[in-house]
Structures are given as C-alpha cells and as structure tokens.
Amino acid sequence: MYPDPISVTRITSIGAGPIGGGWAAHFLARGYDVTAYLHDTSETEAFHSILNTAWGSLTDLGLAEGASLDRLRIVTDLEQALEGAQFVQESAPERLEIKQSLYAQMGEVLPPDVVIGSSTSGLTMSEIQAKCATPERCVIGHPFNPPYLLPLVEIVGGDKTAPDAVVWAGKFYEIAGKAPLLMKKEIPGFVATRLQEALWREALHMVANGEATPEDIDIALMNGPAPRMVSQGQCMAFHVACGAGGMATNLDQFGPALKLPWTRLEAPELTRELRDRMVDGCNDIAGDRHFEDMAAQRDREIVAVLRALREARLG
Amino acid sequence: MYPDPISVTRITSIGAGPIGGGWAAHFLARGYDVTAYLHDTSETEAFHSILNTAWGSLTDLGLAEGASLDRLRIVTDLEQALEGAQFVQESAPERLEIKQSLYAQMGEVLPPDVVIGSSTSGLTMSEIQAKCATPERCVIGHPFNPPYLLPLVEIVGGDKTAPDAVVWAGKFYEIAGKAPLLMKKEIPGFVATRLQEALWREALHMVANGEATPEDIDIALMNGPAPRMVSQGQCMAFHVACGAGGMATNLDQFGPALKLPWTRLEAPELTRELRDRMVDGCNDIAGDRHFEDMAAQRDREIVAVLRALREARLG
C-alpha cells in the first residue's frame, strides 16, 4: 500500500521553528529534496539562521552524496508546499486546533499513501488526526532536541493510524539516518521524555530541598551517568556491570534496593513477570556477545567520547 | 591542618573488587605510588585482571608523566598497607560491620591528618565512622562505575567529619584528575545515583506496563538524552534550549507541564523560591556566555561525540 521508503526523495517539512528548521536541515544533509512550508515570509530569515547553524554541524558529521542546501525550496502556500511530497514532517506549533486544522487540510490534498510524521511532544496522534479524512497514514515521529543532531525518533500511531504506516515510518526514518523507536503504546511523554522527566523532577526535588544546586545536578550527570549512557542504555549498563549473571543478578541480588529511598519515585513491584521481561530483554540485546567483550566495547566507547569531548573543549 | 593536597604522592587503595581495582588503576595512571591492600593473596589474580583491563583504557586516555604499573605494591597486611599513605581510598565490601571495624583499625594506625575517602554507595559516613577514634578525616568519595573512566566523585562527610576534610578531599580529587562534587547534605544515593535511580524506576514501570521493552529504553537513552547530556547537564540543556529567556522561560512558560503525567514521579511544588534557585543557578553556570555560543559549543561537542562513537563502533 505504501511505496518502498527507499524510493522517497522529496520531503515536505512544515514549520519554521527550531524543530521544523532542524528537520529540514537533517533531510537536506541526507540528500533529500526538501520543501519547507513557512506560515509567513516574515519567518524566512529566522528559518535560514536555524538552517545554517544546523548545516555547519551536519557538514562536520558528514553529508550524504549530493546533499546540498540548494535542494531546499521555501514555500508559504500549503497546497503548493505539499505538491509532489513523498513524506511530510510536521512541526507546526503545539496547539491542538492548529494541528487539527492542518491535518484536515493535508488529509484532503495529499495522496493517502503519503505518510505524515508529527514532531509533537505534548499531543497524541489520536487527538491530532481527529479531523483528518485520511488519518490512517498519520503517525507521530518525535525527535529529540536538537533534531539535526540527536538520532532518536519515537514513532507511534493514534487510534485511527494503520499499523502499516507505523512500520513504514520506522523503516523510512532509519533509511533517513535516524534511530527509530517503534512505541508499544500511545503514552504521554513517549519513552525518552518520560525517562528524562523522572530524572528532571528528582533534580527539582533535590534543589527544592537544598540537597543540590543546579550546578551539582549538571556536574553529576555530565561526569557520571552520561558518558556511559551514550555507549550503553541503563538496562545494558546494569546487565554488563553484573558480569556473567547479568540483569538476573542485578534484580535478584539488588532488587531490595528498589525499596530504598534513593529517589522519590517508588519502584513498581518486582514481580516474576517484570523480572523475566527485564532479564529476557537484556539477554536478547546481548545476543551471543560475552559480557567481557561488551564491557571492553563500553570502555573503548567511553574513552573515545572522553577524548572527543576534551578536544572539542580545547578547540 | 591537612597537608597541601598537591604534596600527596603515595596512596593506599583498599579492596580487590572492580571499584578498588579501578581506583588503584586510576591513581597509578595519574602518576601516584599506589599500595593496594587485598584481604587475601587469593584475590591477587582477579585484581591484576581488573587492573590490566583498566590500564588499557587509561593508556588510551593518556597517562601522567612517570605513571607506571611498576609503582604498584600489593600488600595483605593492613598496617603495612597503610604505612606512609598520604591518602586512603577505601573500597571494602558494602557491609557496615566490615567498614566499621576497618575504620576503627585505620583510625588507630593512620596519622589524623591523612584523609580517608570511602567508595561506599549504600552506607552513610555517619554510620561508617561510628567506631573510628579519629573520624574527623573520614569522608565519602563515591565514584561512578567504571571508576577508572568516569570522572565523577561525590564527596560528603558524616556527623563527625571536619568540614576541612571535605574541602581537602574536593581539592585532592580534582588534582588527581577527577570531577569532584561537594554535596550539600548526606542523602541516600548521593546526587548522581538518585537521578539515575529515578530514571531507572520509571523504566521499570514502563516495562511492567508493557509500554516499552528494555531495548526500547536503551535505544531511547543512547540516541536521545545521552549524547547531549555529556555536553550539558539537564539544567543547562533546558536553559540553553530556551534561548535568551533561559531557565526562567522554561519554568515560567512550561512550569505547568510539571503537572502532566510525563513520568510517575510527582514534581515538587514550583514555588517562587525553587524557581529562583533554578534560574539563579543556571545564570551562575552560564556566567557571561551568550546562549547562542553555548548552543554552538553544545553542537560541536555532540558532533565530536557522535563521530567518536561511530569510529569506536566501526573498530
């Protein structure tokens, strides 16, 4: 039903803000033809500024063959902006009535096999697609700021989204150089923001209680969890740190620590089912890799990151 | 009262596990003479294995002038191990009776101007120092795993610790190549583990509720918050993302989002006092740097980190 995502060459990016501009820059850097829809010509200068900032970083990261800022077209008429689009990334303002009206219009104009990905962080696709006549192809494709640098895109449909469209979006974003995460459920904050928000609220509690300053919070994160977390997420970090026993040892041995007041967030009950999901999940990620090899790879990556940061800070 | 921390050349590291071994490797790499106290000669082989693993990474990071594995001495007699020590890093097993007995012994043997830093993650210094006759110089100096790579050391005293000893430890760890964080209060989990634990428990909730798999959690972290968090902690990430308005805009405009169900952790009340602490704290960190320069530096660092990871993964 949907065309092969590898055949996509023309993308329309809607929105003149940092997210819309960031997406436009990213797609241009991956070698796509990009049409940017701005609401008003008065937004052009700010849009170019975002684009140029992003382009510098993207050039340093390495452009795809044929990638060029010349392949950008800026349009302020919506119908014209959607002409020929094979994929649409929507980063309009985060107001439901604006998005609903936009999706109603796009639903009429765009062929039904053109997938639309929304950058929304605070709305659900079930809400956004409510007034769209062709809601099956509408998904959320939520980036992480800055969107031209961070690879994550969280993908989830709404009540009326076709499962095929979600799968298609996952494949498309991967081809387009992103790290797609196909979500299991439509939940507020998706996955990454929920994790970040838990950390953030614990930080606010600590500052409110005089336990830490904002500077302390940042020193702790930048020099503690972060350089490891670029190499291993928290699940694999614990899995590998526990040696041969992995996540099973972590939960069976240190499970009681989940009751300790190490954060204000209460842990869920560590049921057998949760324990097994965590253990099986980590074993699946590890595959046939030995924990010592994974630890060595982690260390190589941390060393590379620390060296790169040192140089970037000196330079 | 305490000698100039720059004059320290001889360190005793207590403990044969990954933390003790990691500390010994770190101090050797920084050019110190290190005496490692092992409880039993049977631990020697495992200790050397930890040390050698760490040494490879530390060599890649760059050794201090004169740094050498030959400057390590392994001793299984405690008194002998403490002879001549100018600083002690204690990484004994995490059992209170073991630590209390050890600090009682060290308290008798070590001159009172030799600071002892404990690697404990689960005990408080007030408990650990309870049976020590010279508790004033006892502090917690909590590393983050792996301790030979991650710079963070969280420092806090117990009820009987002299404030001078805490300050001394901060200076010493900094000279020794670490990123010290002088804590404001003795709290369970210190700062970094509290932040990580909030994130971890939210992750467990998500897996328990079928909202995400362990793989989803790790994909989200590694490709979303982490590559930015090595460059900016969460406070400065929000501060800089909000442009000229900084953290004030973040809290004044998006403050209501703290009530949204974006995590299971309830946020503290956003009082005027908390708001001001956050805003003032971020302004202090920023100093006279313009937000655009900070965003540009963030981008340079993220690019450097992503490139370094790509190369480390290609091998």
Side-chain angles (χ1 to χ4, degrees), chain A residues 1-11 27 32 85-89 113-117 136-139 155 161-176 180 182:
Chain A
M1 166 165 185
Y2 299 101
D4 189 339
I6 201 109
S7 68
V8 173
T9 61
R10 294 185 307 278
I11 293 172
F27 288 126
Y32 291 94
Q86 296 168 296
F87 175 74
V88 176
Q89 182 73 40
D113 65 347
V114 174
V115 173
I116 307 172
E136 299 78 10
R137 57 21 201 296
C138 301
V139 304
I155 303 162
T161 304
D164 279 2
V166 174
V167 171
W168 186 93
K171 287 184 190 154
F172 165 73
Y173 281 119
E174 184 156 28
I175 292 167
L182 267 62

Side-chain angles (χ1 to χ4, degrees), chain A residues 4-284:
Chain A
D4 189 339
I6 201 109
S7 68
V8 173
T9 61
R10 294 185 307 278
I11 293 172
T12 295
S13 173
I14 294 180
I19 306 299
W23 270 119
H26 171 79
F27 288 126
L28 285 164
R30 303 319 311 148
Y32 291 94
D33 290 310
V34 175
T35 301
Y37 167 73
L38 308 192
H39 186 66
D40 194 289
T41 47
S42 66
E43 299 175 320
T44 310
E45 193 182 327
F47 182 78
H48 272 297
S49 166
I50 294 164
L51 203 68
N52 289 330
T53 295
W55 196 254
S57 293
L58 289 161
T59 304
D60 288 344
L61 268 180
L63 301 176
E65 207 183 311
S68 165
L69 280 175
D70 295 341
R71 292 172 67 184
L72 171 72
R73 197 169 60 112
I74 295 180
V75 172
T76 54
D77 176 88
L78 184 64
E79 281 202 32
Q80 205 184 321
L82 297 173
E83 244 177 55
Q86 296 168 296
F87 175 74
V88 176
Q89 182 73 40
E90 171 275 306
S91 314
E94 285 280 89
R95 282 167 48 199
L96 185 57
E97 65 279 15
I98 293 180
K99 300 246 195 213
Q100 282 183 338
S101 149
L102 189 59
Y103 280 73
Q105 286 178 270
M106 291 197 290
E108 300 294 335
V109 173
L110 280 172
D113 65 347
V114 174
V115 173
I116 307 172
S118 173
S119 303
T120 187
S121 56
L123 304 169
T124 65
M125 184 41 74
S126 295
E127 297 170 309
I128 291 172
Q129 70 191 173
K131 297 183 179 171
C132 180
T134 49
E136 299 78 10
R137 57 21 201 296
C138 301
V139 304
I140 283 174
H142 174 243
F144 220 74
N145 191 54
Y148 48 92
L149 288 181
L150 298 179
L152 184 66
V153 182
E154 295 173 297
I155 303 162
V156 68
D159 294 336
K160 298 183 189 163
T161 304
D164 279 2
V166 174
V167 171
W168 186 93
K171 287 184 190 154
F172 165 73
Y173 281 119
E174 184 156 28
I175 292 167
K178 287 293 188 183
L181 168 54
L182 267 62
M183 288 182 54
K184 310 298 174 275
K185 290 185 182 177
E186 199 177 23
I187 48 168
F190 316 121
V191 176
T193 301
R194 291 191 74 84
L195 298 167
Q196 176 179 282
E197 185 74 9
L199 179 158
W200 177 237
R201 292 189 189 175
E202 181 63 40
L204 291 175
H205 278 291
M206 296 182 78
V207 174
N209 283 277
E211 296 162 357
T213 64
E215 187 175 20
D216 293 341
I217 301 294
D218 281 7
I219 289 174
L221 291 172
M222 294 165 68
N223 296 287
R228 189 180 65 202
M229 203 179 280
V230 289
S231 170
Q232 295 179 323
Q234 200 55 54
C235 299
M236 285 315 276
F238 282 159
H239 181 76
V240 170
C242 284
M247 183 54 68
T249 293
N250 180 283
L251 294 174
D252 298 343
Q253 192 169 324
F254 307 121
L258 291 171
K259 302 280 186 198
L260 294 178
W262 282 0
T263 159
R264 282 141 182 111
L265 177 54
E266 278 188 34
E269 195 60 39
L270 186 56
T271 60
R272 184 76 204 180
E273 190 181 1
L274 173 54
R275 184 258 186 212
D276 289 348
R277 280 187 194 178
M278 293 302 300
V279 171
D280 295 347
C282 288
N283 286 335
D284 285 349

Side-chain angles (χ1 to χ4, degrees), chain A residues 296 299-300 303-304 307, chain B residues 25-26 29 48-63 69 148-149:
Chain A
D299 286 3
R300 276 193 295 275
V303 166
R307 287 178 63 141
Chain B
H26 171 78
H48 272 297
S49 165
I50 294 165
L51 203 68
N52 288 330
T53 295
W55 196 254
S57 294
L58 289 162
T59 304
D60 288 344
L61 269 179
L63 302 176
L69 281 176
Y148 49 91
L149 288 181

Side-chain angles (χ1 to χ4, degrees), chain A residues 288-309:
Chain A
D288 57 5
R289 288 177 294 169
H290 191 275
F291 77 90
E292 285 180 354
D293 295 332
M294 288 188 285
Q297 181 64 19
R298 171 200 69 195
D299 286 3
R300 276 193 295 275
E301 293 180 12
I302 295 176
V303 166
V305 164
L306 293 177
R307 287 178 63 141
L309 281 171

Side-chain angles (χ1 to χ4, degrees), chain A residues 57-62 304-305 308, chain B residues 300-314:
Chain A
S57 293
L58 289 161
T59 304
D60 288 344
L61 268 180
V305 164
Chain B
R300 275 193 296 276
E301 293 180 12
I302 294 176
V303 166
V305 164
L306 294 176
R307 288 178 62 142
L309 281 171
R310 192 163 59 192
E311 283 159 31
R313 281 168 189 162
L314 287 175

